[in-house]
Amino acid sequence: MRFTVSSTALSSKLNALSRVINSKNSLPILADFVFDINNGMLQLTASDSENVMTTQLELTDVDGYGRFAVGNHDLLEAVKGFSEQPITFDIDQQANIAKISYQNGLFSLPVESADEFPMAQKVSEGAIEIVIPNLLLAENINRTLFATAQDELRPVMNGIYFDLTPESLALVASDGHKLVRNKILTIHSDQPASFILPKKPASLLKNLLGKDGGDVIIRFDERNAQINYGDGELICRLIEGRYPNYNSVIPQNNPNLLTVDRLSLLAALRRVQPFANDSSNLIRFHVEGGTLQLDAEDYDFSKTATERMLCEYNGQPMSIGFKGSSFIEILSNFDCPEVIIQLADPSRAGLVLPSEQPENQDVLMLMMPMLIND
């Protein structure tokens, strides 16, 4: 079997697939890429047993068909330094050797039978389907992923919750201290449905999506999701369990409204945060009139910091504590010039919203308050 493929196209596809492969694998063959040549196309597959990613490449020249597996590390190292040129694979499946020739040289690698490679678990016939624009899904995953938890006791918190309702599709993530809820108002269904996408496949999609237009098709059942994008497909196992009622923790009546320049607040928090106590990371927000004051203190090391900035505030004077690192993460995941911070009282969660919502979306982030000593 012999085929020729573009070096840069192959390197790009293999790099994307390599993110699926774990450094340690339950089966040795899971450290391999699977090559499947058929009808003038090359299909590449990688898996960690729970996530299976495939992508396709058009071959410029091909003689024969078949499947084989080759170790990911050696092949990646070999092809990543090539300039754009054709690479020819000559596979001797009797000797289990692949000879790879290029403009100025030749190298060979051992190959294995692909028969032992685990098959992907396809979704059931009655699977629910969501069609979402590529760029829109990329934007929402990017905005949500940082808020997922790493919680062994509550695994349902370790992913992004997709909540399809008659009003919208909401993407939700929370670690118990902060929460992100993105509503896409153009996608809805009379039949409510939901699933929890684990952090790893969400991270894979974050790196893969947003490079082109088109639609992403998500089909899911109770256990698995099949996500088709461009020339690729990701099949992943979902997190099973009931996601908490996120709407119940979002306070509804927040009469105190603070509008502030996002980048200015972000810069101020980054300056003040190093002076906060390492264990609590508490920063006190005091807002009154048109001034927001940030205070951090660590009396164990005799460190304090205070910074004031202008803002627009409509409400009662208030002091409220927030975890500085989490607030920095929230502000970093907006791209609007100003944010609106809605407050009720120092014991209730604060809501952070963009000054202008993205078109056909409703974005909300929530921060739980911390106890401060007046």
Side-chain angles (χ1 to χ4, degrees):
M1 178 171 53
R2 184 184 180 93
F3 61 90
T4 302
V5 64
S6 158
S7 61
T8 52
L10 178 63
S11 179
S12 172
K13 299 291 187 185
L14 292 179
N15 270 310
L17 288 177
S18 68
R19 297 188 179 101
V20 183
I21 300 173
N22 292 331
S23 55
K24 295 181 179 180
N25 295 286
S26 55
L27 298 172
I29 200 166
L30 290 175
D32 292 358
F33 296 118
V34 171
F35 284 62
D36 189 344
I37 297 91
N38 199 11
N39 294 326
M41 297 294 293
L42 168 60
Q43 179 173 284
L44 296 163
T45 304
S47 173
D48 64 0
S49 79
E50 292 193 347
N51 304 284
V52 181
M53 187 183 292
T54 60
T55 188
Q56 291 189 330
L57 269 174
E58 193 169 343
L59 300 174
T60 53
D61 184 33
V62 60
D63 180 16
Y65 60 91
R67 298 173 76 232
F68 64 91
V70 61
N72 82 88
H73 183 266
D74 290 336
L75 185 58
L76 274 175
E77 289 298 311
V79 303
K80 73 178 183 182
F82 284 139
S83 58
E84 170 55 34
Q85 59 182 288
I87 303 179
T88 299
F89 285 70
D90 200 339
I91 314 301
D92 185 342
Q93 290 184 300
Q94 297 297 320
N96 291 325
I97 289 290
K99 293 181 179 178
I100 298 124
S101 55
Y102 53 100
Q103 191 172 353
N104 298 315
L106 168 76
F107 59 89
S108 62
L109 289 171
V111 299
E112 302 177 68
S113 167
D115 294 341
E116 296 179 17
F117 199 81
M119 299 291 289
Q121 293 290 320
K122 297 286 186 180
V123 298
S124 61
E125 288 295 325
I128 296 165
E129 183 174 291
I130 299 173
V131 180
I132 179 170
N134 185 308
L135 293 171
L136 184 59
L137 180 58
E139 176 188 333
N140 277 266
I141 289 177
N142 286 339
R143 195 187 288 129
T144 309
L145 188 59
F146 81 95
T148 54
Q150 195 69 45
D151 191 335
E152 293 182 2
L153 298 177
R154 295 188 298 170
V156 293
M157 307 296 284
N158 299 341
I160 297 176
Y161 181 54
F162 284 66
D163 187 16
L164 183 63
T165 68
E167 292 79 35
S168 65
L169 170 65
L171 276 69
V172 181
S174 177
D175 62 3
H177 301 288
K178 56 184 179 289
L179 177 143
V180 180
R181 186 205 66 193
N182 299 282
K183 283 186 177 181
I184 303 172
L185 304 176
T186 53
I187 299 175
H188 42 79
S189 172
D190 292 337
Q191 177 187 356
S194 62
F195 66 92
I196 306 171
L197 183 69
K199 188 178 296 187
K200 181 172 180 177
S203 298
L204 293 170
L205 289 170
K206 177 181 176 180
N207 291 314
L208 290 166
L209 300 178
K211 297 179 177 68
D212 52 24
D215 288 335
V216 177
I217 300 172
I218 304 174
R219 299 181 66 247
F220 64 95
D221 55 24
E222 293 181 353
R223 298 197 61 187
N224 301 294
Q226 177 181 327
I227 303 166
N228 293 89
Y229 56 93
D231 57 4
E233 177 184 88
L234 174 62
I235 297 176
C236 58
R237 190 172 299 165
L238 301 173
I239 298 174
E240 296 183 45
R242 182 185 293 274
Y243 201 82
N245 180 4
Y246 60 90
N247 285 312
S248 66
V249 301
I250 301 174
Q252 297 303 313
N253 297 311
N254 307 287
N256 304 296
L257 303 181
L258 165 65
T259 303
V260 63
D261 183 85
R262 180 181 68 88
L263 292 177
S264 297
L265 178 56
L266 184 58
L269 284 168
R270 285 174 171 157
R271 285 189 291 269
V272 169
Q273 187 203 8
F275 296 86
N277 181 277
D278 285 342
S279 59
S280 68
N281 207 241
L282 169 66
I283 293 182
R284 169 180 165 146
F285 286 58
H286 179 77
V287 61
E288 185 171 356
T291 303
L292 169 63
Q293 179 173 312
L294 305 174
D295 294 291
E297 55 194 29
D298 187 350
Y299 290 130
D300 293 339
F301 295 94
S302 301
K303 298 191 300 184
T304 63
T306 296
E307 185 160 338
R308 297 179 184 86
M309 58 188 301
L310 296 176
C311 66
E312 294 179 26
Y313 183 59
N314 181 14
Q316 297 296 317
M318 185 185 301
S319 291
I320 186 169
F322 290 116
K323 187 173 182 178
S325 57
S326 294
F327 216 104
I328 287 171
E329 282 185 304
I330 281 180
L331 293 175
S332 299
N333 282 278
F334 282 110
D335 55 9
C336 54
E338 293 183 324
V339 290
I340 300 168
I341 302 173
Q342 298 183 358
L343 303 169
D345 61 62
S347 64
R348 295 174 66 190
L351 303 184
V352 187
L353 294 84
S355 54
E356 291 186 16
Q357 291 285 1
E359 185 178 2
N360 295 317
Q361 296 184 65
D362 182 1
V363 179
L364 174 150
M365 301 196 190
L366 175 149
M367 272 289 299
M368 297 302 295
M370 299 179 71
L371 182 65
I372 54 176
N373 296 318
D374 291 325

